[in-house]
Amino acid sequence: ARARARATRAPLLRHGGRAALADLVAPDEAAAHARALLAPIAATPALPETLRTWLSLHGSWDRTAVALSVHRNTVRQRIARCAALLGADLEDPDVRMDLWFALRDRAPGGG
């Protein structure tokens, strides 16, 4: 954060509203990263939707199934498919965080 602030000559501290980690990356850079990271699952809209919901519900199969109105085994299959296509270990909290930010920053309809 410090190096980025120096390079862009932006203040490191922002006063006012609560600063978030996502504020350290420009929106266009975040969107580009999200598109690239999520490209393997973007062709099937149910996959990013399921992954976003599952992450938002802290990996709960049952709550995700209820939220999406699908069977819990469907959720399990979709999440396993996401993990395989992304080549990601969804048990790793760093991976989950990166995916969460990508899913949050992904442009609507942008893949």
Side-chain angles (χ1 to χ4, degrees):
R2 182 182 301 162
R4 183 170 179 80
R6 285 183 181 153
T8 61
R9 297 183 182 192
L12 183 59
L13 297 175
R14 295 185 181 137
H15 300 284
R18 184 175 158 212
L21 183 60
D23 294 334
L24 297 175
V25 179
D28 57 332
E29 291 177 29
H33 172 72
R35 282 190 300 276
L37 182 64
L38 300 171
I41 64 171
T44 307
L47 295 180
E49 176 188 18
T50 301
L51 183 58
R52 178 186 294 115
T53 303
W54 183 75
L55 289 170
S56 76
L57 296 172
H58 309 287
S60 171
W61 307 112
D62 292 327
R63 290 179 15 206
T64 301
V66 169
L68 297 175
S69 299
V70 297
H71 193 276
R72 67 180 289 179
N73 288 344
T74 301
V75 174
R76 286 182 180 271
Q77 291 168 353
R78 289 179 185 174
I79 295 301
R81 183 78 177 136
C82 287
L85 290 171
L86 295 169
D89 175 8
L90 298 180
E91 295 299 317
D92 183 331
D94 290 331
V95 170
R96 286 186 184 207
M97 180 187 68
D98 197 27
L99 289 168
W100 174 252
F101 280 115
L103 287 160
R104 191 194 68 150
D105 292 330
R106 194 177 85 153

